[in-house]
Amino acid sequence: MEALNVPMADTPVVTFWEGEIVDTKNYTFFTGKWEATPEDDIRHWSKFPSFSPLQNQVEADGGKSLDLSNYPYIFMRWKELYFVNVGTDCGLTIAGFYYVCFSCSDGSINGFYYDPNSSPFQKLELKSTNEGRPGFSFSAYELQ
C-alpha cells in the first residue's frame, strides 16, 4: 500500500501487507494474535451488517461449523508487516490490523482498524473505480 501526503515523510510511504481469509478451516473469526481478544473480534466483526446472520454461530464455536463457500461476503484480516521505503519514524503506525469485509456483489471493501493503542474503529472504505482504469478509491476516517 502507498500512503500519500504523510506529514513527516518526504515521499509516499509504502508498506508490505499480509492477509488472512476467514474460511473457518485455516482462519476463524477469532484472531488469536496481535493482542486481539475474542471480545475484540466480536465487537469489530459486528460492525459489518453482513456479519449479523453469522454472529450467534461465531460466538458459539468461532464459526468453525459455518460453510462460507457461497456466502456473498468474504471476511479477512489485513496486517501491515513493515515499511518498505522509510523508517519507523515516518509518523505512521503499523502496530494494528484491519478486520475486512469484501462484498462479492459490488466489489466494495470495508474495514475497521484494531490497535489497542489507537483510536477505536477507524474505518477503511475501498470502492472500485470505473474511470477507465482498474483500481479503488480509498477513504479512511475515525468513527465518532
Side-chain angles (χ1 to χ4, degrees):
M1 181 183 82
E2 185 175 73
L4 306 174
N5 303 316
V6 178
M8 295 178 64
D10 296 331
T11 62
V13 176
V14 179
T15 57
F16 180 83
W17 293 63
E18 73 175 6
E20 300 174 349
I21 296 174
V22 176
D23 60 2
T24 70
K25 306 294 181 253
N26 298 296
Y27 298 103
T28 70
F29 285 96
F30 293 142
T31 305
K33 56 186 170 185
W34 303 322
E35 298 183 47
T37 66
E39 293 79 18
D40 294 323
D41 292 328
I42 294 295
R43 197 168 31 255
H44 282 77
W45 290 124
S46 64
K47 293 281 186 193
F48 301 106
S50 54
F51 178 74
S52 182
L54 310 174
Q55 186 166 345
N56 288 340
Q57 197 59 47
V58 170
E59 288 175 343
D61 69 0
K64 291 179 183 177
S65 62
L66 293 170
D67 178 5
L68 300 175
S69 59
N70 292 313
Y71 201 65
Y73 298 91
I74 298 172
F75 298 96
M76 298 173 273
R77 279 179 288 270
W78 292 355
K79 172 75 175 117
E80 290 171 297
L81 295 182
Y82 56 86
F83 296 106
V84 174
N85 65 331
V86 297
T88 56
D89 60 347
C90 68
L92 297 177
T93 179
I94 59 172
F97 69 96
Y98 288 89
Y99 294 87
V100 178
C101 180
F102 171 78
S103 169
C104 297
S105 63
D106 67 9
S108 64
I109 299 171
N110 290 288
F112 293 97
Y113 187 68
Y114 174 76
D115 174 0
N117 300 310
S118 294
S119 299
F121 306 114
Q122 296 174 55
K123 187 170 185 181
L124 168 75
E125 290 182 350
L126 300 172
K127 296 184 179 177
S128 60
T129 58
N130 293 317
E131 299 171 359
R133 64 177 205 265
F136 288 92
S137 63
F138 168 80
S139 64
Y141 53 89
E142 291 181 29
L143 294 180
Q144 301 299 324

